Amino acid sequence: MLFERPDSGEKAILVHLHTQGMDEREDPEEFKELAYSAGAEVIAFIEISRYQPAAKFLIGSGKVEELAMLVKSLQAELIIVNHTLTPSQERNLERALECRVIDRTGLILDIFAQRARTHEGKLQVELAQLEHMSTRLVRGWTHLERQKGGIGLRGPGETQLETDRRLLRLRIKQIKQRLEKVRNQREQARKGRKRAEIPVISIVGYTNAGKSTLFNSLTDSLVLAADQLFATLDPTLRRLELPDKGRVVFADTVGFIRHLPHKLVEAFRATLEETANADLLLHVIDAHQPERQLQIEQVINVLQEIGADKLPILEVYNKIDLMDNIKPQIQYDDQNRPQRVWLSAKSNQGLDLLIKAIDQLLVEEIFTGTLCLPPEYAKLRASFFAAQAVQQEQADQQGNSLLTIRLSQIELNRLLSKEQLDRETFLTNYSC
């Protein structure tokens, strides 16, 4: 007898599995937050302990029977398992429980599908969902001719044609080709910023650490900042003027999470390359989170996976407004370079210290000197004033402008190259 998959629903029972393997340990509170973020109506939370996962159901057959009785009594429509299920385990549980079952990966994919707003973001989510779905096409799932909604089914949907393996492969190929164009466009934009010597600062961190709130506070932006997991999915870039460094670009990125599905990392490769090619990473950490060290390790793991772990990192300990006796401060390493900043992005405490620390890390050298500019360099003179680099100006008897300037070496090089002037030759001829 063929198994007809039940209709979708939001009334969910959460199943959290404890096993011996420390590397498989998940946080039950984080699991609940993921379910709420997906829009689930949690009607029960079940914790099960096993020495190791069972091959057929992940959990024992006795627990499956208990769970089946609970599903009927509570009229549950969905089971969410805080573990990675194999396709056969997912199918076996659905047959035994007679309701829809998704695992942790499917739950995260669904949240991403809800959060995607841009065309690129939707393509990336669809790619991850289709690749996840392709491993779960089994004989017997023939009653999928209608589009279905609900947790685990958003995004590409589940029609019979779309779940055909050949059409899936074709669609995956098309999406990868489109994302390759996106990657090339991003690469061209990055090359333009590098030619203009505009540094990129990428804000990374565990999900719900306060990255978007910090981004909004620094750049006066209106990026969605909500107290929920994965509130930000699509990357946002904004320019900002720093006191010494001049113009920089801040990038707000998607949050990381424990055991982030590999399919998501692969699908979001084009987006995550913004992080891998940054000049500085701001690693935002929820200082009030009891398990912040585990979260730090998970972020480092993802940075290693995308090749960004060797970039300069400034740790930003956020949410000190929720802590007692912690004041905004900069902590320095043994080379007197800023290592971490303690602040509150929500209350704007310590933002000035963060700007100071970023300036110190980005500015390798500051050029200070007096330039003697002939009248024909009036445009360059105006550029120095626009960059707020002029500290004093005088005029000599020949009508030359004597400018005392202070700005970063990179910004000086940028202004001179804009006028097609060689730095060494110019400074030799026009320094006073």
Side-chain angles (χ1 to χ4, degrees), residues 179-404:
L179 288 177
E180 187 62 31
K181 292 182 179 179
V182 172
R183 180 177 300 179
N184 293 335
Q185 291 169 354
R186 289 188 177 275
E187 181 62 28
Q188 291 300 319
R190 281 194 293 268
K191 288 180 179 178
R193 290 195 293 267
K194 287 188 178 297
R195 282 195 298 269
E197 295 185 323
I198 300 177
V200 176
I201 303 169
S202 185
I203 302 177
V204 301
Y206 208 80
T207 181
N208 206 28
K211 298 181 298 300
S212 294
T213 303
L214 178 63
F215 181 82
N216 289 338
S217 299
L218 287 172
T219 64
D220 292 327
S221 299
L222 296 175
V223 172
L224 174 64
D227 186 18
Q228 59 185 17
L229 302 184
F230 299 116
T232 300
L233 183 60
D234 301 307
T236 306
L237 304 179
R238 292 289 186 274
R239 286 193 178 191
L240 183 69
E241 291 283 340
L242 297 184
D244 290 330
K245 186 63 181 174
R247 282 183 295 178
V248 298
V249 171
F250 279 91
D252 186 22
T253 60
V254 62
F256 302 147
I257 196 170
R258 183 182 289 110
H259 298 151
L260 186 68
H262 184 72
K263 292 181 180 65
L264 276 179
V265 177
E266 283 299 315
F268 279 75
R269 181 70 61 179
T271 298
L272 294 174
E273 281 178 355
E274 290 289 350
T275 297
N277 288 277
D279 297 278
L280 174 66
L281 300 182
L282 296 187
H283 180 182
V284 181
I285 300 163
D286 185 350
H288 187 251
Q289 171 60 242
E291 293 194 350
R292 71 186 187 198
Q293 190 56 44
L294 287 175
Q295 295 184 354
I296 291 172
E297 293 172 2
Q298 292 301 318
V299 172
I300 297 300
N301 289 340
V302 177
L303 291 177
Q304 289 175 344
E305 191 166 351
I306 65 176
D309 56 311
K310 302 300 182 183
L311 297 175
I313 297 179
L314 176 62
E315 295 179 346
V316 180
Y317 282 76
N318 189 26
K319 303 186 182 181
I320 64 170
D321 55 306
L322 303 177
M323 306 172 69
D324 296 326
N325 302 320
I326 300 294
K327 295 182 179 180
Q329 58 182 298
I330 301 177
Q331 294 179 338
Y332 295 86
D333 60 17
D334 52 6
Q335 297 179 346
N336 203 33
R337 290 171 57 85
Q339 185 176 19
R340 61 180 63 91
V341 179
W342 295 74
L343 54 75
S344 170
K346 186 176 182 179
S347 62
N348 291 338
Q349 300 178 56
L351 289 185
D352 55 334
L353 297 178
L354 177 61
I355 294 295
K356 178 182 176 182
I358 293 173
D359 250 347
Q360 292 176 358
L361 288 173
L362 287 180
V363 177
E364 299 176 356
E365 292 183 42
I366 297 294
F367 176 86
T368 303
T370 302
L371 299 178
C372 182
L373 297 185
E376 57 265 29
Y377 286 111
K379 189 175 180 180
L380 179 60
R381 170 185 170 277
S383 297
F384 283 128
F385 273 99
Q388 299 181 340
V390 179
Q391 295 183 315
Q392 184 179 359
E393 182 184 26
Q394 295 178 336
D396 61 15
Q397 296 179 351
Q398 288 76 34
N400 299 320
S401 296
L402 305 180
L403 298 180
T404 301

Side-chain angles (χ1 to χ4, degrees), residues 111-128:
I111 297 173
F112 272 54
Q114 295 182 57
R115 302 287 189 265
R117 294 293 179 268
T118 65
H119 178 64
E120 175 193 350
K122 292 176 181 178
L123 281 177
Q124 290 173 134
V125 172
E126 184 177 355
L127 175 61

Side-chain angles (χ1 to χ4, degrees), residues 91-151:
R91 187 167 66 254
N92 292 337
L93 283 171
E94 288 190 333
R95 285 195 176 114
L97 301 176
E98 296 185 354
C99 77
R100 200 156 50 83
V101 177
I102 65 171
D103 63 1
R104 180 183 175 88
T105 299
L107 179 61
I108 295 176
L109 285 171
D110 179 83
I111 297 173
F112 272 54
Q114 295 182 57
R115 302 287 189 265
R117 294 293 179 268
T118 65
H119 178 64
E120 175 193 350
K122 292 176 181 178
L123 281 177
Q124 290 173 134
V125 172
E126 184 177 355
L127 175 61
Q129 286 187 309
L130 288 174
E131 290 185 333
H132 180 68
M133 185 191 302
S134 66
T135 64
R136 282 157 167 74
L137 297 180
V138 294
R139 185 178 61 83
W141 288 14
T142 59
H143 301 78
L144 301 176
E145 63 275 358
R146 293 176 302 156
Q147 290 280 351
K148 296 184 179 183
I151 296 175

